[in-house]
Amino acid sequence: QVQLVESGGGLVQAGGSLRLSCVASGRSFANYAMGWFRQAPGKEREFVAAISWGSSRTKYSDSVKGRFTISRDNAKKTVYLQMNSLKPEDTAVYYCASPKKPWEFENIDSRDKYDYWGQGTQVTVSS
């Protein structure tokens, strides 16, 4: 059983920054890509960013590219999401997720690729 625990959310003014963390347990963290998704009220959960198992590859949604940075520390079994230049439209619950298969990065922006999700952390950006 995989457990994912996010932290770091909060209330921030537009233009500000936050760093989210997600600590994983339960399987070989270093063998799996990791992803971040978000869900705003009344909207579907959407892809934000993903990082490959060895950090050599990253992928971002167009809406966050250039503002957000995903990273990971395999020794700490932790994935991070550094969020800069935050906008009110970034307001959402942010979830980290672990994919079904190790060593896979193809279509990593698809929710169907993931089988474990954290409980989420709220990010609110005020204007």
Side-chain angles (χ1 to χ4, degrees):
Q1 188 74 8
V2 175
Q3 283 192 317
L4 303 171
V5 180
E6 302 99 334
S7 62
L11 173 64
V12 63
Q13 287 189 331
S17 299
L18 283 174
R19 188 174 85 151
L20 306 184
S21 300
C22 171
V23 180
S25 62
R27 66 182 177 190
S28 300
F29 179 80
N31 295 348
Y32 291 79
M34 290 292 293
W36 284 97
F37 288 74
R38 67 186 182 186
Q39 188 167 18
K43 294 188 176 182
E44 291 192 353
R45 193 170 297 188
E46 64 174 4
F47 171 77
V48 175
I51 187 167
S52 62
W53 46 94
S55 303
S56 62
R57 285 182 284 177
T58 57
K59 189 171 186 177
Y60 297 92
S61 68
D62 289 342
S63 61
V64 307
K65 200 172 294 181
R67 300 187 297 122
F68 290 11
T69 302
I70 189 171
S71 62
R72 66 189 292 162
D73 184 335
N74 285 346
K76 294 182 179 179
K77 296 186 178 181
T78 302
V79 61
Y80 304 97
L81 186 67
Q82 177 67 43
M83 307 185 294
N84 298 330
S85 302
L86 282 161
K87 305 174 181 179
E89 51 263 44
D90 294 318
T91 295
V93 178
Y94 284 71
Y95 300 90
C96 70
S98 182
K100 298 174 183 177
K101 297 181 180 180
W103 318 116
E104 188 167 283
F105 204 69
E106 186 176 359
N107 297 324
I108 201 68
D109 55 347
S110 170
R111 285 181 297 174
D112 293 341
K113 286 289 188 179
Y114 298 84
D115 56 352
Y116 289 104
W117 299 81
Q119 83 288 350
T121 186
Q122 176 70 47
V123 171
T124 303
V125 184
S126 63
S127 56

